[in-house]
Amino acid sequence: MGGQAKGKKKNKAKRKDNRLNKDAEFVVLSPQERMKLRMHEKAKKKTAEKYSVPQLLEKTEECMDSFDFEMAALYCQRALDLESTNLQALDMLGHICSELGDTQKAKGAFLRAVELSPDVGHSKYMYLGQIHTGQEAVDYYTRGIQVLLSTLDKQAQTTQPQAGAAAPLDEDPELPTVKDVSVAYCSIAEIYLTDLCMEEGAADKCREFIDSALQYHHDNPEALQLMASYLFSTERNQEGREYLLKSVGLWLPAQKQSASSSSTEEDMQNKIPPYESRITTTKLLVEAEEYEMAVDVLEGLLEEDDEVVQVWYLSGWVCYLQLEKAKEQQEREGRQVGEEEKEEWKALKEAARLHLTNAKKLYSKLRCDDQPMLEHVEQLLGELGGDLEGEEGDPDVDEDYEPCSDEEEEDAEAPMEH
């Protein structure tokens, strides 16, 4: 009995010491920090009384769906205050911080998720791959692919259809697919086409990963476009052109349909590559001299967002190239220019001036920093007769715009670097 009583005494002393240490730490804080800590503890206690972790994560998801990432971050952080090892909350916080541009906090959330669950959940590795560059990015993507393939293998074993049973009509959109594997291989291939292009054997590795991407999803537009870019870089232009046209043919009809019907159907939107990828598509189409198709892509981009300088610049550049091509063809044929042809040339010239004037004005308003592009715009305008006067070509600028930079331009141009 005496021993037990003594043990209890020791435990009490220990708890008292802990409290003293905590109080000592509290005294070290400034008055503002102490107030902030008290408010945080009070809010945490109030939240715990009002919402459970699942409810907080549901609130987080609602805010993310409505693009209110600041409020989503608050709900998600409260969930982690209550349950610091919740993997779903960590994954969501990483996504939210990425959207808010807080790369370090996003990285911390994903790394914590890796520490807690290294062999389950591939998406954290994919996001870490996006955050990093060079070999580090390759390593994260590679690990993500390993987890992804392991997950797919387990899915195949647990969902083997019985003999004669009909295949399920709808797949669970939350489950990973072979398309995810293809996209991951594309990410690695792109690094060897850009960041690691000077590494020994980079071209062979790039081709190897593109082949792997197409092996898992042979109709992946991103993989087909990457193959086109790779082939252009190795001067196999005709073969590259074939891959490029196949890639664009898979999604351009959906973009046109979406633009004409203002449709937001998820299935249709999923067929269309990201905005930045389509900017790269335009550059490749220009390289392949597929100007009309480039115009179709650019029109879709302007319909979605008319505050991107590079898209206005490319629109003007393509019109200029169409005009030059028409003139060259007429000279080769050695014939007189007809009235209808003159009108077409005039329309192309005015369209080029309009787009390039818009690019120049938007460049100034958005405080862009891409001197070579600006110089090319001014050179083209000089050849076309100068800036287009008047306000009709002046694009509106959203009040919430962010100044663009060379890094943003490089992101869109990266797959085009040969």
Side-chain angles (χ1 to χ4, degrees):
M1 288 289 291
Q4 288 176 351
K6 195 173 180 182
K8 284 183 180 178
K9 231 176 186 179
K10 280 184 181 177
N11 287 340
K12 281 185 180 179
K14 202 169 189 178
R15 282 199 296 273
K16 188 176 179 182
D17 287 345
N18 285 340
R19 191 167 62 250
L20 285 170
N21 288 337
K22 199 170 182 180
D23 290 342
E25 289 172 8
F26 189 77
V27 170
V28 173
L29 299 173
S30 68
Q32 292 88 348
E33 288 171 330
R34 287 201 296 273
M35 179 63 73
K36 190 175 178 181
L37 184 62
R38 282 197 189 100
M39 289 175 68
H40 180 71
E41 290 298 325
K42 188 176 179 181
K44 190 161 72 170
K45 186 177 178 183
K46 190 175 179 181
T47 300
E49 292 169 358
K50 191 173 180 181
Y51 295 115
S52 66
V53 170
Q55 287 172 325
L56 284 166
L57 293 181
E58 188 178 336
K59 289 279 186 185
T60 303
E61 195 166 356
E62 286 173 9
C63 292
M64 290 174 75
D65 288 343
S66 60
F67 302 101
D68 187 355
F69 294 106
E70 286 83 1
M71 187 58 69
L74 292 174
Y75 280 119
C76 195
Q77 188 57 60
R78 291 284 166 81
L80 284 167
D81 287 340
L82 299 176
E83 192 178 322
S84 63
T85 58
N86 187 294
L87 290 170
Q88 185 186 355
L90 286 167
D91 191 59
M92 292 172 90
L93 184 64
H95 284 69
I96 293 163
C97 292
S98 295
E99 291 290 344
L100 293 172
D102 191 343
T103 306
Q104 283 305 114
K105 194 167 182 180
K107 181 179 174 181
F110 289 128
L111 286 175
R112 176 63 175 149
V114 167
E115 182 185 333
L116 291 169
S117 180
D119 300 322
V120 177
H122 68 282
S123 66
K124 54 182 175 282
Y125 291 107
M126 301 306 166
Y127 275 92
L128 284 166
Q130 290 176 26
I131 290 169
H132 291 80
T133 58
Q135 190 58 49
E136 271 189 299
V138 170
D139 292 343
Y140 280 120
Y141 282 127
T142 303
R143 180 66 184 122
I145 289 170
Q146 290 171 353
V147 173
L148 190 49
L149 291 174
S150 173
T151 305
L152 289 172
D153 188 46
K154 287 174 184 173
Q155 279 177 207
Q157 291 174 16
T158 55
T159 59
Q160 280 287 10
Q162 295 179 357
L169 293 174
D170 297 311
E171 291 183 356
D172 185 346
E174 296 298 317
L175 293 174
T177 65
V178 289
K179 185 177 179 181
D180 295 320
V181 182
S182 180
V183 170
Y185 276 123
C186 284
S187 298
I188 299 178
E190 197 166 331
I191 292 170
Y192 280 106
L193 202 58
T194 55
D195 293 1
L196 299 179
C197 65
M198 302 306 292
E199 294 287 316
E200 186 177 348
D204 292 338
K205 287 179 181 176
C206 178
R207 178 63 190 256
E208 176 190 336
F209 288 117
I210 295 172
D211 285 338
S212 295
L214 289 169
Q215 176 188 337
Y216 280 94
H217 187 204
H218 63 91
D219 276 345
N220 179 356
E222 184 183 357
L224 292 166
Q225 179 167 298
L226 271 173
M227 181 64 87
S229 190
Y230 165 79
L231 291 167
F232 281 134
S233 73
T234 55
E235 299 183 0
R236 293 156 66 183
N237 293 350
Q238 183 54 38
E239 198 179 347
R241 183 176 172 277
E242 290 169 9
Y243 274 97
L244 178 61
L245 294 181
K246 183 178 179 183
S247 171
V248 179
L250 290 168
W251 58 263
L252 187 56
Q255 178 183 275
K256 288 181 177 179
Q257 189 180 343
S258 177
S260 63
S261 64
S262 301
S263 173
T264 55
E265 287 183 25
E266 193 171 342
D267 286 347
M268 186 182 293
Q269 294 300 322
N270 286 340
K271 291 179 183 176
I272 304 172
Y275 197 96
E276 294 77 11
S277 175
R278 282 175 283 153
I279 292 177
T280 300
T281 304
T282 305
K283 295 175 184 176
L284 289 168
L285 287 168
V286 169
E287 192 166 346
E289 297 187 12
E290 291 288 339
Y291 301 136
E292 288 185 18
M293 193 174 281
V295 169
D296 288 339
V297 176
L298 288 163
E299 284 177 352
L301 291 171
L302 287 172
E303 187 74 26
E304 287 178 42
D305 186 352
D306 61 358
E307 295 178 3
V308 181
V309 178
Q310 200 174 30
V311 176
W312 284 110
Y313 157 64
L314 287 168
S315 296
W317 176 225
V318 169
C319 288
Y320 174 88
L321 290 171
Q322 284 180 301
L323 177 60
E324 291 300 300
K325 186 177 181 180
K327 287 179 179 179
E328 287 171 11
Q329 184 177 346
Q330 181 267 330
E331 285 177 11
R332 276 198 312 270
E333 294 172 358
R335 55 179 173 74
Q336 293 294 320
V337 181
E339 286 303 315
E340 188 177 340
E341 200 169 25
K342 282 181 182 178
E343 287 300 314
E344 288 177 3
W345 290 10
K346 183 181 178 182
L348 283 170
K349 182 179 179 180
E350 291 308 297
R353 288 180 69 198
L354 173 66
H355 297 325
L356 292 166
T357 299
N358 283 345
K360 189 175 175 181
K361 288 179 179 179
L362 201 58
Y363 184 100
S364 176
K365 286 184 180 181
L366 300 184
R367 302 196 298 276
C368 286
D369 184 21
D370 186 342
Q371 194 61 29
M373 181 176 70
L374 180 61
E375 288 173 2
H376 194 210
V377 167
E378 290 177 335
Q379 176 197 330
L380 293 171
L381 282 170
E383 293 180 30
L384 293 164
D387 295 19
L388 196 67
E389 297 298 328
E391 295 298 317
E392 67 171 308
D394 194 0
D396 294 327
V397 180
D398 194 295
E399 291 178 0
D400 298 327
Y401 77 84
E402 293 181 8
C404 57
S405 64
D406 281 336
E407 286 184 8
E408 289 173 349
E409 299 292 350
E410 284 168 10
D411 286 344
E413 290 179 9
M416 279 292 291
E417 293 173 14
H418 300 327

